[in-house]
Amino acid sequence: MTKKEIAKNFLKLAAKGHSHEGFRLYVGKNFKHHNPHFKGDAETLMLAMEESARTNPNKVFKIHHILEDDKFVAVHSHLKQNSEDIGFAVVHILKFKDDKIVELWDLGQPVPKDSINENGMF
């Protein structure tokens, strides 16, 4: 399995509320993340992902681009809390060691209702 496939599977499992499985399958020891809203350890992020899925059971997660460069994978996606939500453009950057995710950055920007940019965010 490629790093891109691992990143894709991990993020899709997390979005669907299966973060325990995603972490078990794809996350390495000493994992850390950089989301400023949570402690930087795997357990805290995994539980936050599960809570988000419980709170938003109809979440929509669509990947638009995946880029791989050596030990890094970047995933550009559209995340909506439900089908009616305008959502966020999200970029996840995942760092790998021995085919396991060891570090994660996630950055999000709300999709504006009325954008002056004719190209859109995706």
Side-chain angles (χ1 to χ4, degrees), residues 15-108:
K16 291 181 180 179
H18 304 294
S19 63
H20 269 83
E21 183 179 357
F23 274 77
R24 181 182 61 78
L25 292 172
Y26 303 119
V27 171
K29 293 180 181 180
N30 301 317
F31 170 87
K32 63 182 177 179
H33 71 89
H34 300 273
N35 185 310
H37 301 288
F38 307 103
K39 282 185 63 182
D41 62 287
E43 181 76 12
T44 300
L45 184 61
M46 181 178 60
L47 294 175
M49 288 173 163
E50 283 190 352
E51 177 61 26
S52 175
R54 267 193 304 277
T55 305
N56 303 289
N58 299 313
K59 187 177 289 186
V60 178
F61 180 70
K62 181 179 179 186
I63 294 174
H64 289 269
H65 306 100
I66 302 179
L67 309 170
E68 183 177 343
D69 182 25
D70 191 31
K71 61 185 173 183
F72 292 95
V73 172
V75 181
H76 175 224
S77 57
H78 189 183
L79 177 64
K80 300 180 354 175
Q81 300 306 326
N82 58 62
S83 61
E84 310 303 315
D85 183 27
I86 295 173
F88 280 79
V90 182
V91 175
H92 290 90
I93 302 170
L94 303 95
K95 182 178 178 183
F96 285 78
K97 181 177 180 184
D98 301 325
D99 292 328
K100 294 289 186 179
I101 302 164
V102 294
E103 198 162 1
L104 172 70
W105 295 261
D106 57 332
L107 310 155

